[in-house]
Each structure stands twice: as structure tokens, then as C-alpha cells.
Amino acid sequence: MTARTFPPGFLWGAATAAYQIEGAADEDGRAPSIWDTYSHTPGRTLNGDTGDVAADHYHRWAEDLGHLTELGLGGYRFSISWPRVFPGGKRNTAGVDFYSRLVDGLLERGIRPVATLYHWDLPQELEDAGGWPVRDTALRFQDYAADIVGALGDRVDTWTTFNEPWCSAYLGYGSGVHAPGRTEPAAALAAVHHLNLAHGLAGRVVRELAPRARLSVTLNLHVIRPASDSAADADAVRRIDALANRAFLGPLLDGAYPADLLADTAPVSDWSFVRDGDERTAAVPLDVLGVNYYSTTLVRTWDGVSPRSDADGHGRSAHSPWIGAGDVDFLPQPGPHTAMGWNIDPSGMTELLLRLRDEYPHLPLMITENGAAFADEVAPDGAVHDDRRVDYLRRHVDAVGAAIDQGADVRGYFVWSLLDNFEWAWGYDRRFGIIRVDYDTQVRTWKDSAHWYRELVAGNALPD
Ligand code: FCB
């Protein structure tokens, strides 16, 4: 592989999310979120794992900041727990103080804080009132945003409204493999819209209260390929692209839902929850678009006869997250695969970034997540020789560089994840960290990938 360098000022970072690392689930006035309820419901998560303790970051945050410094990172992407800082629609000072200390700690170390307002942990009381399918939840999100952005302001470098609203809507309310575990197709589409609306409402709050901060949203855009060059398979790609990608890109960046999405889903919903002006509200101008990339998607139009695969990589359920696309099948893809069963294909990273370059040429991009779970083994000397993770990261970072060479305006890269953590329905079984967490002792150990990443960051170039 040829030596690959990155533009001066390229932002290298690591990412985490509140429920996945913090623990301290009922400390200092935190209220339950939908993930507390879901993970405590028997059968919902692997081994019944919950985020009650997680990586105990709430108590070990100072140590964890030390790891960021030693890695030499320029940015840290974390999320703020809504039920910790704004339970019952009122400020919880102890919760806000936690993030205030974290942000100040980052600034003292010269690390740019990249804060996500919502990484899936809706306060349970708002789910009880209807959750994201209900419009009022978007207004409650605006209230929460006003309070926390008012408190932290532009000490935060980049405010990200949502992480992967696709997952919140379709996995939370469609297939039910994520909290709150509902399987209501029409409600999932209403959730899509209220998440988009909430993004616009909160985005305007950020603009007003933190005028020097940058505004972003993070999407898990799908790289969708057809199983054949038939017209039917091309149409499968179009339909999944509408649900997965353009349901968000449309309102957020172009100010309108795509007509084919509304037509495809008409048997399920008339979208009457979209009110005049909502799409304009959703399209608040962004400074940077966050891109999460892990693998690719392969689809065909099902012939109604042959066995289906439904291998979309998003967890097994009797209910599809692909609302109104029951005749689209998702095919397994050639390996190698990660421990999530996701195929490893760095070319998809380049492809995605070039699509965004073409469609939104003036919008800066940031890789806000990329990484891999593998069944790590601890060597007798305590080291973790995670060669496959190093290889995964090396090839994907190289793919980002290839896109930059071809004109994609990518400003940074955040590895998922700083630490092993609670991988949602997969609990603690799937480890994504470049730093290992021993969940019995909470001891952190750098894996080989952390050492490799430090070298990459120090040189702003792929190590040999
Ligand atoms: C993304 C999530 C993140 C983590 C990775 C593996 O979908 O944003 O929290 O679970 O996948």
C-alpha cells in the first residue's frame, strides 16, 4: 500500500455514546430512558445485559480523558444523556455539571468536544406519552436542546442533533430490535418525520444559543447495491435508498421528502403528520454532515418463490424495518465479516463519500463512526493483538483518503469506539473498542489498534 497522508488540520478522534459507556443509571437524579426499560425486559438483549454499569465512565471520565490525550486525538465525540440532564422536562444540575466538567476537561487538553444531543436514549416518560411517533416529542426535544445548549454553549465545538435517526425510527418502532421495541409500521414513518422535525427545531436553537459552534447531524447512510443488473433489482435499490437515505437527506438537506418515498409507503401511511412548513424547518443549514459507515447492503426484488435471506445486518425480527418494501430481499454478502456479521468492504466508504460529494458538493463531511467488532483475545502478557481490527481500520482510513483525493471534502475521522461498551441488543458480547474494558475490574487496556491509531494520528498519515 502506498503511503497515505491527510490534509493539514484533519481531525482525528474517537467516539462513544452515553448509554453505552456511562453506567450510573440511577445516580444524581438521572431518570430512566427507553434503553433502561428495554434492556431490563427479559429476552430483549443478549444475556440480559443492561447499561446499568457499562464502562463506568460516569465515574472514570477523567481517566478516560487521559487516554484521549495519550492517543493524541484532536476531537472526542460523545453523547449527552437527555434523561440525565433534563428529566421530567426540568434541568438536573448534577447531570449538567457532569458534562460541563467533561467539556472543560477536553478543552484543557486541547481536544475539540463533538457532542451529540440524542444517541437513542429517549426519556421513558416521553415514550409513555407516545414517543417519537408523536409530534410533541419533537417539541420536548427542542426544550431539552435549549437548556443544555444554553448551559454548554460554544464551549462545544460541534453540536450534533441526532445519531442515526434511521435506527431510532425503524429499529425502535418498525422491527422492534431496538428500544422501545415497538413493531408498528405507520408509527415508524411518523417517527422518521418527528426526528427530522426535531433536528430542525434543535438546530435553530444551536444557531441562536451557540453561534460560534458548528451544527451537524450524523446519518448511517446505506451503500446499496443490486444483486443483478435487472430493472427489478434497480428498483429494489431505489426503494431502499428512499427509506434508508433520502427519507433523511431529502428533508434535512433539500427541504422535501422524495415523492417516490411517499408513493412507495402510501399503503402504510398518508404522511398527514407532515404539516405545512415542517420540511423547511427540518432543512436548517448544516456546517458538517456526520457519516457513519461500517459495511454495504445487497438487495434484489424478491420473486415470491425462492427462499428469502433478509440479511440486512440489522438484527432478526418477524417484523421488517423496511416499511412498505416487503418484496425487497437483502442478500448475504461475501466475507470476510466482523463479529457483527457485517461484510468488510472499504470500497463502500469511498463510494458513499463520492456520492455525497456529487449530490451535496458544498457540504463538508466528517466520518463520525467507523470500526469493527471482533472476538478479541487477551494474550498471556495481557496484550490484545487485534490484527483484524487494525487491518479493518487501515483499509477504511485508506478508503477515506481515496475519496479525499477525488474531491470529497472530508474534515475528520472518528473511530468507533474509544472503549469496549454496551453494544445495544448485543450487550457486552460485541467489542468495538480500541481500548479493552475488563468488565469485572473496569481496567482499561490498550489493544494493538490503539497503539496503531496513535501512530496514525501523530503522523497524520497511515503508518507503514
Ligand atoms: C452504530 C451506533 C453505535 C454503535 C455502532 C456499532 O449504529 O451509532 O452506537 O452501536 O453502530
Side-chain angles (χ1 to χ4, degrees):
M1 198 177 286
T2 51
R4 159 91 64 200
T5 59
F6 286 80
F10 192 80
L11 185 63
W12 296 102
T16 62
Y19 191 70
Q20 295 181 276
I21 64 166
E22 285 179 2
D26 55 9
E27 270 180 59
D28 294 344
R30 180 185 179 277
S33 79
I34 54 175
W35 269 99
D36 295 274
T37 308
Y38 189 81
S39 65
H40 280 271
T41 305
R44 289 300 205 178
T45 65
L46 190 61
N47 304 319
D49 288 344
T50 75
D52 287 0
V53 178
D56 197 32
H57 170 77
Y58 189 72
H59 300 114
R60 293 167 198 266
W61 63 274
E63 178 191 345
D64 291 338
L65 292 194
H67 289 293
L68 296 172
T69 301
E70 279 175 47
L71 285 161
L73 300 182
Y76 176 52
R77 174 177 182 251
F78 60 98
S79 82
I80 293 170
S81 162
W82 182 353
R84 194 183 289 291
V85 301
F86 210 60
K90 291 199 183 62
R91 177 181 293 192
N92 173 32
T93 309
V96 173
D97 286 350
F98 169 73
Y99 295 105
S100 190
R101 282 192 299 272
L102 183 75
V103 165
D104 286 346
L106 289 166
L107 293 174
E108 278 159 24
R109 290 167 164 81
I111 299 169
R112 285 152 68 169
V114 176
T116 302
L117 287 168
Y118 188 81
H119 201 125
W120 305 354
D121 45 359
L122 183 70
Q124 180 61 44
E125 81 238 7
L126 294 182
E127 175 56 30
D128 294 342
W132 286 113
V134 167
R135 187 178 182 91
D136 191 57
T137 303
L139 304 177
R140 301 288 73 80
F141 183 73
Q142 183 182 24
D143 294 343
Y144 149 61
D147 193 72
I148 191 68
V149 176
L152 302 180
D154 38 31
R155 282 187 284 157
V156 168
D157 178 88
T158 302
W159 282 103
T160 302
T161 53
F162 285 92
N163 176 72
E164 302 190 353
W166 184 94
C167 295
S168 297
Y170 297 117
L171 301 183
Y173 295 94
S175 65
V177 300
H178 277 188
R182 286 163 59 181
T183 52
E184 303 160 35
L189 297 178
V192 166
H193 178 60
H194 296 135
L195 287 156
N196 286 331
L197 176 65
H199 161 80
L201 294 170
R204 284 171 166 71
V205 165
V206 171
R207 284 271 175 260
E208 196 186 314
L209 299 181
R212 288 196 303 277
R214 296 187 299 167
L215 175 64
S216 76
V217 63
T218 279
L219 302 178
N220 57 322
L221 298 169
H222 286 55
V223 176
I224 309 152
R225 293 166 176 168
S228 77
D229 54 15
S230 70
D233 288 350
D235 198 54
V237 171
R238 179 195 62 72
R239 296 178 67 162
I240 297 308
D241 184 52
L243 286 163
N245 300 332
R246 291 182 287 114
F248 302 96
L249 294 172
L252 301 187
L253 295 176
D254 305 323
Y257 285 102
D260 62 333
L261 171 72
L262 305 185
D264 290 347
T265 55
V268 179
S269 171
D270 61 5
W271 290 74
S272 55
F273 40 76
V274 182
R275 298 197 189 156
D276 276 356
D278 281 2
E279 290 153 291
R280 274 197 308 282
T281 300
V284 57
L286 294 179
D287 298 307
V288 58
L289 176 66
V291 174
N292 290 356
Y293 175 83
Y294 291 92
S295 65
T296 61
T297 302
L298 184 65
V299 298
R300 64 167 180 157
T301 292
W302 186 45
D303 54 18
V305 185
S306 54
R308 291 179 65 106
S309 302
D310 291 320
D312 70 356
H314 293 301
R316 287 276 166 192
S317 166
H319 304 267
S320 172
W322 302 102
I323 311 303
D327 56 343
V328 176
D329 189 21
F330 292 76
L331 298 174
Q333 301 181 70
H337 300 96
T338 68
M340 298 294 284
W342 298 342
N343 65 304
I344 300 175
D345 185 351
S347 74
M349 171 77 95
T350 310
E351 189 179 322
L352 175 57
L353 294 172
L354 295 183
R355 170 184 178 174
L356 293 167
R357 172 204 66 183
D358 291 345
E359 293 184 9
Y360 304 101
H362 304 298
L363 182 61
L365 307 171
M366 181 114 84
I367 307 303
T368 39
E369 284 182 29
N370 174 240
F374 290 108
D376 296 324
E377 279 170 29
V378 182
D381 64 354
V384 180
H385 302 302
D386 57 339
D387 300 351
R388 287 177 299 176
R389 184 173 292 104
V390 171
D391 185 62
Y392 180 99
L393 295 176
R394 178 197 305 281
R395 293 171 61 208
H396 284 79
V397 166
D398 190 48
V400 173
I404 294 173
D405 284 353
Q406 294 169 72
D409 184 6
V410 187
R411 303 289 177 90
Y413 173 97
F414 287 65
V415 66
W416 184 271
S417 179
L418 177 69
L419 304 168
D420 287 340
N421 59 49
F422 175 78
E423 179 46 38
W424 308 113
W426 297 102
Y428 298 100
D429 191 75
R430 303 289 197 274
R431 292 175 176 269
F432 274 91
I434 58 171
I435 297 178
R436 179 179 177 84
V437 175
D438 178 327
Y439 292 113
D440 294 328
T441 62
Q442 295 292 346
V443 167
R444 277 85 162 123
T445 306
W446 282 32
K447 304 178 191 178
D448 285 1
S449 53
H451 294 281
W452 175 86
Y453 197 52
R454 177 170 58 184
E455 221 184 312
L456 162 69
V457 173
N460 199 27
L462 271 180
D464 293 333

